[in-house]
């Protein structure tokens, strides 16, 4: 059934169909409507299990509650963004270290300081190494669908999953979605069978202290399981298509990039804008396509290299920018394409919610196709202002000294 | 019932934990053969560790009352570290350790999961030392109290961060030496006028049951566990557990110190329900704080030549204030 | 129908975001694709806010702000002197203003030289809202007026969208305000 709904509600309704036993989250813009929607559904008995909804005092508590409930063997869900994700960071590593299959929505939002409530992907990027699978949604349809896949991925692999949904651009956007049915979800997602759980009939200690004699092996094992997740993630997306009759998720998606000379690589909703750009170029017979990465962690570097080995130039467009590493996705791509002849361009845009305009991005792509683009460039950055401020601040510092 | 006085022939007196001449309902779990030994031997605690004793006493009683249906959530700290050195564990119960500051929240999650599974007959215990309870986990503790989650929280208070090397916590008493309140400068040891009284804060949350207990009085401790277990909702038990290493005391003095803390008035034993005090354990034989403090090297500076006598007087004043506030002595006694 | 883009200007508290939401639902009830995105503020009452709506027969993939609107809805007339309000308006586009004044009185005729007169309408949406709803929230009336000025949506679809979001007396009041605005704008259009 088609519906016109806010992205957050599409996500909440998909999660409800997954029969979670526990929902626990702390409010933070732009994730609020998701958990509000779920709170309402739990009270109205719309979630068909004995679902517990807990209000907590912080994000750290929210994920901790999920750790407790997941370790007791029930399907557990939370959601957060930005500052909230950082506040629970300790628990994020703890959950993956203990192989607890928790699903968490990240309503992608910039990390402060300075404080900023708008969309970019610096939050999920900041915790890309925490051992959680990270998958990104391009549309509200995909945002809902990926949560259904996420529970299956998490429980099959005993690895927690972050579903990344661009704040405001998806969470607060009204779009058409095809709602899933309970029958479809029940067919796709079996009841949760935990790898281990607290059990009075079989008491065990979960969360022991591991010293130098065993820690390396435990870490190596954890990472090995993580790296092996790529194949099941792809398979689960294909299973989803069979049952639900539509594509969602998977490791990547081509859009006219199977043979294109120039390929624009991105994560999340910006790929929609890029697709419109590709269509405009293709009217003029330009050899260009877009390649969306669906699963960011583990990073399917080998698979991407295989898919794009024909490309002359790869333009990585991303909404994060960190001191010391630049764009995280560009970094991953450069590592994956080591030895290849393709030129990799890092394009940073959309930070702190600055819109990515088609026209602005096309100017950059034009320069790339003329081989006149810098290795690192920005969409609509006021360089003059930055440089002027740099000079001013340098003067201030030297005067102070 | 006869009003005649019954002659007291008990050879070892009422205080003995294993006194089988007592009626069955006051025999402690610890003295019985079929106690659960929830925390069994083979752990790595220091000789004379008060926390190991307190945890075993408390959880064995819980196991008896819950017919062995317990899930325990443990904060990071000495107890967690010395009981679960991978690949070994000395816990005979389902046990979960997550982080330092989140035991109450994790326990909330465990309890909610049990509810979702229709298994509310399983008791959920959250436990930790004073560091995790009073300081870093305080926010989560308050949240759990505020939601009135059906969790019994037990704090084992040895008055400092022992596992990391004896640093000061919000439970460290004034004048005590710790690694971060050393005996240097004009005011050696921990400051006066600081510190958190979490039992009182728990009372202020209005939860069903709050009690302080000590390993020096097993029956009192077990009775308080039983009282807590007879209720639902958030409950809090604060157990005083001397630490020979951190306190600079002899391992053989652990229980003696616990008793002296009570008898001096420094560690009052009381119970409260929904914010009102419902009972206190009177001091049997009051002692000056010196007798308690002198056995611990963390207070050695109070007794050195040239020591500021105001410090010792300050500690005595705290004990006296407790005695007055809680009514720990019968009228006429001093 | 190829892509039709609407930009709504107003101030926090006037239901700018709800207007976009309801328009997108109305489009959906007519079997087309619609996308509504708020330009997101920390919603302080009184601060200028914008929202964007796109309609199409096809899937809408882009998510940039609407820079070249086919139609502008201006919920708060105090915004007409902001540079951003009329920026990018397509030649031949539509403008619907919530005001009791005329275009001439507002002194913006210059900015709107390329707009045919029958595409340029004013309606006292706040007044109609006060009359039918009891509160001066002009959004429902304005989307009723949108239906009349652009002919992109049927007034019945507008009503359906209003009733999906609101219930009871509020739904009735909003619907009445929308229909009243629709009739007024239609009539005024006929006179041009």
């Amino acid at each position: 059934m088609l519906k016109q709904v806010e992205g957050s509600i599409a996500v909440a309704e998909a999660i409800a169909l997954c029969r979670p036993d526990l929902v626990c989250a702390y409010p933070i813009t732009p994730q609020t409507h998701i958990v509000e929607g779920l709170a309402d559904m739990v009270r109205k008995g719309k979630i068909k299990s004995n679902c517990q909804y807990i209000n907590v005092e912080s994000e750290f508590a929210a994920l901790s509650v999920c750790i407790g409930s997941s370790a007791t063997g029930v399907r557990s869900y939370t959601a957060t963004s930005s500052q909230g994700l950082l506040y629970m960071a300790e628990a994020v590593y703890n959950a993956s270290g203990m192989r607890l299959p928790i699903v968490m929505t990240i309503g992608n939002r910039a990390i402060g300081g300075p404080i900023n409530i708008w969309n970019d992907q610096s939050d999920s990027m900041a915790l890309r190494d925490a051992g959680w699978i990270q998958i990104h949604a391009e549309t509200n349809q995909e945002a809902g669908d990926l949560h259904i896949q996420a529970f299956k991925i998490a429980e099959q692999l005993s690895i927690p999953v972050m579903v990344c949904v661009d704040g405001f651009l998806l969470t607060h956007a009204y779009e058409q979605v095809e709602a899933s049915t309970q029958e479809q979800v029940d067919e796709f997602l079996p009841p949760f069978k935990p790898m281990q759980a607290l059990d009075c009939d079989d008491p065990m200690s979960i969360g022991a202290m591991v010293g130098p004699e065993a820690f390396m092996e435990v870490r190596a094992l954890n990472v090995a399981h993580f790296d092996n997740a790529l194949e099941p993630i792809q398979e689960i997306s294909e299973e989803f298509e069979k049952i639900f009759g539509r594509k969602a998720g998977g490791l990547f998606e081509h859009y006219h990039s199977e043979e294109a000379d120039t390929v624009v690589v991105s994560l999340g909703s910006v790929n929609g804008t890029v697709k419109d750009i590709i269509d405009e170029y293709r009217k003029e017979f330009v050899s260009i396509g877009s390649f969306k990465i669906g699963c960011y962690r583990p990073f399917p570097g080998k698979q991407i290299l295989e898919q794009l080995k024909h490309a002359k130039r790869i333009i990585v467009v991303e909404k994060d920018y960190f001191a010391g590493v630049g764009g995280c996705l560009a970094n991953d791509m450069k590592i994956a394409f080591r030895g290849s002849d393709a030129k990799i361009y890092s394009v940073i845009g959309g930070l702190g919610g600055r819109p990515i305009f088609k026209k602005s991005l096309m100017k950059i792509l034009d320069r790339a196709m003329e081989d006149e683009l810098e290795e690192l460039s920005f969409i609509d950055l006021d360089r003059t202002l930055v440089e002027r401020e740099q000079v001013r601040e340098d003067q201030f510092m030297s005067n102070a000294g | 019932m006869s009003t005649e006085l019954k002659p007291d022939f008990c050879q070892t007196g009422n205080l003995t934990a294993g006194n089988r001449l007592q009626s069955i309902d006051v025999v402690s779990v610890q003295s019985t053969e079929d106690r659960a030994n929830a925390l069994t031997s083979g752990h790595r605690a220091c000789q004379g560790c008060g926390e190991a004793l307190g945890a075993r006493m408390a959880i064995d009683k819980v196991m008896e009352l819950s017919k062995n249906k317990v899930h325990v959530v443990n904060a990071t700290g000495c107890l967690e570290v010395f009981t679960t050195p991978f690949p070994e564990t000395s816990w005979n119960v389902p046990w979960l350790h997550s982080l330092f500051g989140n035991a109450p929240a994790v326990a909330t999650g465990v309890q909610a999961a049990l509810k979702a599974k229709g298994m509310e007959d399983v008791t959920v215990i959250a436990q930790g030392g004073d560091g995790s309870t009073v300081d870093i986990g305080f926010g989560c503790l308050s949240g759990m109290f505020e939601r009135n989650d059906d969790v019994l929280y037990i704090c084992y208070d040895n008055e400092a961060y022992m596992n990391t090397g004896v640093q000061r916590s919000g439970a460290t008493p004034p004048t005590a030496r710790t690694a971060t309140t050393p005996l240097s400068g004009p005011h050696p040891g921990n400051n006066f006028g600081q510190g958190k009284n979490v039992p009182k804060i728990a009372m202020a949350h209005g939860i069903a049951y709050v009690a302080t207990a000590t390993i020096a009085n097993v029956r009192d401790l077990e009775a308080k566990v039983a009282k807590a277990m007879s209720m639902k909702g958030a409950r809090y038990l604060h157990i005083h557990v001397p630490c020979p290493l951190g306190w600079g005391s002899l391992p053989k003095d652990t229980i003696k110190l616990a008793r002296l803390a009570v008898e001096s008035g420094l560690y009052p034993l009381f119970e409260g329900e929904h914010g009102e005090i419902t009972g206190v354990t009177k001091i049997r034989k009051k002692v000056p704080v010196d007798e308690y403090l002198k056995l611990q090297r963390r207070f050695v500076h109070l007794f050195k030549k040239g020591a500021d006598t105001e410090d010792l007087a300050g500690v005595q004043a705290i004990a006296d204030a407790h005695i007055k506030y809680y009514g720990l002595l019968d009228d006429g006694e001093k | 129908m190829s892509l039709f883009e609407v930009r709504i200007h107003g101030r926090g508290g006037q239901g700018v975001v709800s207007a976009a939401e309801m328009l997108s639902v109305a489009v959906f009830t007519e079997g087309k694709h619609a996308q509504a995105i708020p330009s997101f503020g920390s919603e302080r009452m009184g601060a200028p806010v914008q929202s964007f709506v796109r309609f199409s027969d096809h899937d809408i993939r882009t998510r940039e702000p609407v820079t070249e609107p086919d139609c502008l809805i201006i919920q708060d007339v105090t915004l007409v002197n902001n540079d951003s309000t009329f920026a990018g308006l397509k030649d031949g586009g539509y403008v619907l203003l919530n005001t009791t004044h005329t275009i001439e009185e507002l002194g913006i005729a210059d900015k709107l030289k390329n707009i045919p007169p029958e595409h340029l309408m004013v309606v006292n949406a706040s007044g109609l809202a006060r009359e039918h709803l009891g509160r001066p929230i002009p959004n429902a009336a304005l989307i009723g007026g949108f239906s009349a000025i652009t002919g992109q949506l049927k007034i019945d679809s507008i009503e359906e969208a209003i009733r999906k979001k609101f219930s009871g007396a509020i739904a009735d009041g909003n619907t009445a305000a929308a229909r009243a605005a629709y009739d007024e704008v239609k009539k005024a259009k006929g006179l041009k």
Side-chain angles (χ1 to χ4, degrees):
Chain A
M1 190 183 83
L2 285 176
K3 288 176 147 181
Q4 180 83 6
V5 285
E6 194 189 41
S8 299
I9 301 304
V11 168
E13 289 181 350
I15 289 162
L17 291 173
C18 294
R19 305 182 187 273
D21 289 295
L22 179 121
V23 173
C24 179
Y26 185 83
I28 181 168
T29 305
Q31 139 275 42
T32 45
H33 294 181
I34 301 174
V35 288
E36 288 164 12
L38 285 167
D40 195 47
M41 281 189 249
V42 171
R43 282 169 177 245
K44 289 183 174 150
K46 284 188 179 163
I47 300 194
K48 289 178 182 177
S49 59
N50 196 7
C51 181
Q52 304 293 309
Y53 184 92
I54 315 264
N55 280 310
V56 283
E57 66 281 2
S58 78
E59 286 91 350
F60 176 64
L63 186 57
S64 298
V65 168
C66 290
I67 286 170
S69 63
S70 189
T72 311
V74 307
R75 187 168 283 160
S76 310
Y77 168 80
T78 187
T80 192
S81 308
S82 176
Q83 314 304 123
L85 180 61
L86 294 187
Y87 194 55
M88 58 158 73
E90 206 196 348
V92 174
Y93 284 80
N94 190 250
S96 59
M98 293 210 283
R99 304 279 306 278
L100 296 171
I102 299 166
V103 170
M104 171 159 68
T105 308
I106 306 296
N108 285 118
R109 164 181 150 179
I111 293 176
I115 185 168
N116 174 297
I117 62 164
W118 293 274
N119 165 250
D120 76 26
Q121 288 167 349
S122 54
D123 52 5
S124 55
M125 284 300 178
L127 288 184
R128 66 197 188 281
D129 301 327
W132 282 56
I133 290 169
Q134 290 187 332
I135 53 183
H136 283 255
E138 182 180 328
T139 60
N140 282 338
Q141 179 72 61
E142 204 174 29
D145 293 345
L146 285 183
H147 283 86
I148 300 170
Q149 293 185 25
F151 284 107
K152 186 159 184 153
I153 294 168
E155 291 168 15
Q156 189 173 302
L157 303 175
S158 280
I159 299 174
V161 178
M162 283 185 209
V163 182
C164 301
V165 179
D166 283 318
F168 290 113
L169 293 176
L170 292 181
T171 58
H172 286 62
Y174 268 76
E175 274 166 47
Q176 197 177 78
V177 297
E178 167 94 44
S180 307
T181 65
Q182 188 66 71
E183 290 69 38
Q184 285 171 319
V185 177
D186 288 344
E187 190 188 337
F188 175 76
L189 181 64
F192 175 33
K193 281 203 183 66
M195 190 171 79
Q196 64 176 9
L198 297 175
D199 181 355
C200 295
D201 297 329
D202 183 15
M204 67 172 81
S205 299
I206 302 176
M209 179 156 113
V210 179
E213 54 278 323
F215 190 85
M216 276 188 80
E217 285 69 28
V218 172
R219 284 300 296 148
L221 196 54
N222 216 306
V223 175
H225 283 298
F226 193 75
D227 290 340
N228 289 339
L230 286 172
E231 214 178 288
I233 289 170
Q234 181 61 33
E235 282 164 5
I236 285 170
S237 145
E238 286 160 13
E239 272 176 59
F240 182 90
E241 191 180 351
K242 284 204 192 86
I243 292 175
F244 292 78
R246 57 183 180 265
K247 272 189 157 65
L251 302 182
F252 50 76
E253 184 199 81
H254 280 287
Y255 187 71
H256 299 295
S257 49
E258 292 91 334
E259 290 167 352
D261 289 340
T262 302
V263 179
V264 182
V265 172
S266 67
L267 288 167
S269 66
V270 71
N271 195 52
T273 307
V274 175
K275 281 176 176 163
D276 273 7
I277 290 175
I278 301 302
D279 282 355
E280 271 192 56
Y281 274 120
R282 284 175 55 82
K283 282 195 201 125
E284 315 291 316
F285 306 103
V286 178
S287 175
I288 187 172
S290 91
F291 184 83
K292 176 185 82 176
I293 298 176
C295 175
Y296 177 63
R297 278 295 182 267
F299 189 68
K302 281 206 199 70
Q303 291 83 345
I304 297 172
L305 177 62
E306 178 60 38
Q307 294 295 318
L308 298 182
K309 59 182 187 286
H310 55 274
K312 292 209 181 78
R313 57 186 77 77
I314 295 176
I315 297 147
V316 182
V317 176
E318 63 188 298
K319 299 176 184 172
D320 64 278
Y321 186 54
F322 290 102
V325 77
C328 299
L329 180 59
N331 216 45
D332 287 317
M333 288 292 290
K334 283 178 186 166
I335 293 170
F337 279 72
R338 217 171 13 214
S340 132
D341 289 326
K343 273 224 77 169
I344 312 257
Y345 296 93
S346 173
V347 177
I348 309 293
L351 300 181
R354 179 162 295 180
I356 293 181
F357 289 103
K358 275 203 309 234
K359 286 209 175 93
S360 306
L361 182 49
M362 284 177 82
K363 283 206 190 97
I364 289 177
L365 297 178
D366 288 339
R367 288 195 2 244
M369 289 189 277
E370 282 152 27
D371 294 313
E372 281 171 14
L373 186 66
E374 306 84 13
E375 201 181 320
L376 172 67
S377 61
F378 299 82
I379 307 176
D380 292 335
L381 173 71
D382 187 342
R383 270 200 196 282
T384 318
L385 175 61
V386 174
E387 281 157 21
R388 196 180 72 218
E389 282 301 297
Q390 254 181 300
V391 170
R392 196 182 71 83
E393 284 172 27
D394 286 345
Q395 275 174 1
F396 177 77
M397 293 300 284
S398 61
N399 288 342
Chain B
M1 188 168 86
S2 162
T3 51
E4 273 176 36
L5 284 170
K6 241 182 123 196
D8 190 350
F9 288 128
C10 301
Q11 286 191 42
T12 51
N14 294 338
L15 297 176
T16 310
N19 190 346
R20 290 188 183 78
L21 296 179
Q22 290 283 9
S23 91
I24 200 76
D25 56 326
V26 301
V27 170
S28 69
V29 166
Q30 284 303 303
S31 67
T32 59
E33 281 171 0
D34 50 9
R35 75 182 191 212
N37 265 330
L39 174 56
T40 193
S41 58
H43 58 71
R44 311 289 207 266
C46 301
Q47 189 183 45
C49 171
E51 187 165 8
L53 211 50
R56 194 186 77 210
M57 289 174 183
I59 306 300
D60 278 352
K61 186 65 179 173
V62 171
M63 288 287 274
E64 181 210 39
L65 295 170
S66 69
K67 304 204 192 341
N68 296 344
K69 287 196 177 164
V70 183
H71 287 350
V72 174
V73 177
N74 213 131
T76 306
C78 265
L79 183 61
E80 163 260 325
V81 168
F82 71 65
T83 56
T84 60
F86 183 84
E88 295 168 15
T89 177
S90 53
W91 291 102
N92 273 325
V93 298
W95 182 94
L96 176 63
H97 161 245
S98 173
L99 298 165
F100 197 13
N102 71 357
V106 174
T108 293
V110 171
Q111 206 281 320
L114 289 168
K115 214 164 159 188
K117 296 205 292 191
M119 290 170 63
E120 283 171 86
D121 57 336
V122 178
T123 299
V124 179
I125 304 288
Q127 59 184 18
D130 52 287
S132 68
T133 306
V134 171
D135 292 340
I136 196 169
F138 186 67
C140 286
L141 184 68
S142 176
M144 187 271 277
F145 285 164
E146 169 274 299
R147 284 187 302 273
N148 200 24
D149 294 321
D150 192 18
V151 171
L152 169 55
Y153 190 96
I154 305 175
C155 173
Y156 305 104
D157 183 6
N158 52 25
E159 301 179 346
Y161 290 93
M162 296 310 189
N163 184 43
T164 43
V166 195
Q167 294 89 13
R168 180 248 188 227
S169 80
T172 302
T175 75
R177 175 193 72 193
T178 69
T180 49
T181 55
L183 302 183
S184 42
H187 300 289
N190 195 30
N191 300 328
F192 279 93
Q194 291 182 340
K196 249 183 253 188
N197 186 328
V198 174
K200 269 182 150 179
I201 294 170
M203 298 264 284
H205 282 71
I207 59 177
Y209 185 70
V210 174
T212 59
T214 175
I215 55 169
N217 193 334
V218 181
R219 262 192 228 83
D220 179 72
L221 190 156
E222 291 189 2
K224 284 166 175 170
V225 171
K227 192 73 178 287
M229 294 280 288
S230 72
M231 303 173 183
K232 290 249 162 230
R235 293 143 290 144
Y236 181 75
L237 194 53
H238 191 106
I239 305 179
H240 201 215
V241 294
C243 167
L245 185 66
W247 294 17
S249 56
L250 295 171
K252 68 179 178 67
D253 281 344
T254 291
I255 295 184
K256 180 175 178 180
L257 279 172
R259 183 172 306 117
L260 288 172
V262 171
E263 298 295 284
S264 67
L266 276 177
Y267 189 82
L269 294 178
F270 68 90
E271 292 173 279
E273 295 178 35
H274 300 292
E276 302 290 331
I277 294 180
T278 52
V280 300
T281 302
K282 302 259 190 206
I283 291 171
R284 264 177 23 99
K285 200 170 124 190
K286 178 168 160 343
V287 299
V289 297
D290 306 43
E291 273 192 45
Y292 168 64
L293 302 174
K294 269 196 169 126
L295 295 175
Q296 306 167 56
R297 284 199 309 284
R298 64 176 175 154
F299 294 114
V300 71
H301 53 293
L302 297 177
F303 304 101
K304 278 213 165 93
K305 224 189 326 202
D308 186 345
T309 55
E310 294 225 343
D311 283 348
L312 190 53
V315 177
Q316 185 62 60
I318 290 171
D320 294 339
H322 285 161
I323 290 170
K324 189 162 170 210
Y325 180 87
Y326 292 100
L328 297 175
L329 289 173
D330 286 323
D331 290 337
E333 284 184 38
K334 271 219 198 137
Chain C
M1 163 227 256
S2 61
L3 192 64
F4 188 91
E5 298 178 291
V6 183
R7 194 167 69 211
I8 307 176
H9 293 261
R11 293 187 183 276
Q14 293 174 339
V16 168
V17 172
S18 304
E21 177 193 318
M22 287 188 284
L23 276 181
S24 81
V25 172
V27 170
F28 173 76
T29 64
E30 291 191 9
K32 300 195 174 71
H33 292 264
Q35 177 202 80
I37 301 187
S39 157
F40 356 102
S42 9
E43 286 130 40
R44 295 185 334 280
M45 290 298 165
V49 294
Q50 295 179 29
S51 61
F52 313 111
V53 192
R54 293 183 163 97
F55 320 162
S56 173
D57 288 323
H58 311 291
D59 223 359
I60 300 165
R61 300 177 303 191
T62 191
R63 279 170 208 277
E64 51 170 359
V66 170
T67 51
E68 291 174 2
D70 294 289
C71 174
L72 281 175
I73 299 176
I74 298 164
Q75 298 201 174
D76 189 310
V77 75
T78 62
L79 295 170
V80 296
N81 292 312
N82 284 16
D83 286 335
S84 57
T85 303
F86 296 102
L89 177 61
K90 285 206 179 86
D91 288 345
Y94 301 85
V95 179
L96 180 63
L97 285 134
N98 174 26
T99 179
T100 50
H101 297 291
T102 63
I103 301 288
E104 291 69 35
E105 282 167 3
L106 291 172
I108 53 173
D110 259 6
K111 288 188 184 161
L112 303 170
K113 276 199 296 264
N114 294 331
I115 308 301
E118 68 276 13
H119 286 194
L120 192 51
M121 295 287 160
V122 296
V123 65
N124 183 7
S126 297
L128 289 172
R130 212 180 272 110
E131 186 190 329
H132 294 279
L133 182 65
R135 292 157 76 212
I137 311 240
N139 58 351
L142 283 167
I143 62 178
F146 170 87
S147 168
I149 189 179
T150 64
Q152 288 280 344
L153 289 168
K154 302 199 248 319
I155 187 61
D156 290 338
S157 310
I158 300 283
E159 173 165 355
E160 208 177 315
I162 292 172
R163 290 193 180 281
K164 274 211 171 97
K165 185 162 175 77
F166 301 105
S167 58
I170 298 183
D172 292 338
N174 273 325
T175 303
R179 283 193 179 273
Y182 175 82
D183 290 336
E184 256 189 55
V185 172
K186 203 125 202 229
K187 190 161 140 204
K189 208 173 156 175
L191 294 171
K192 289 208 176 170

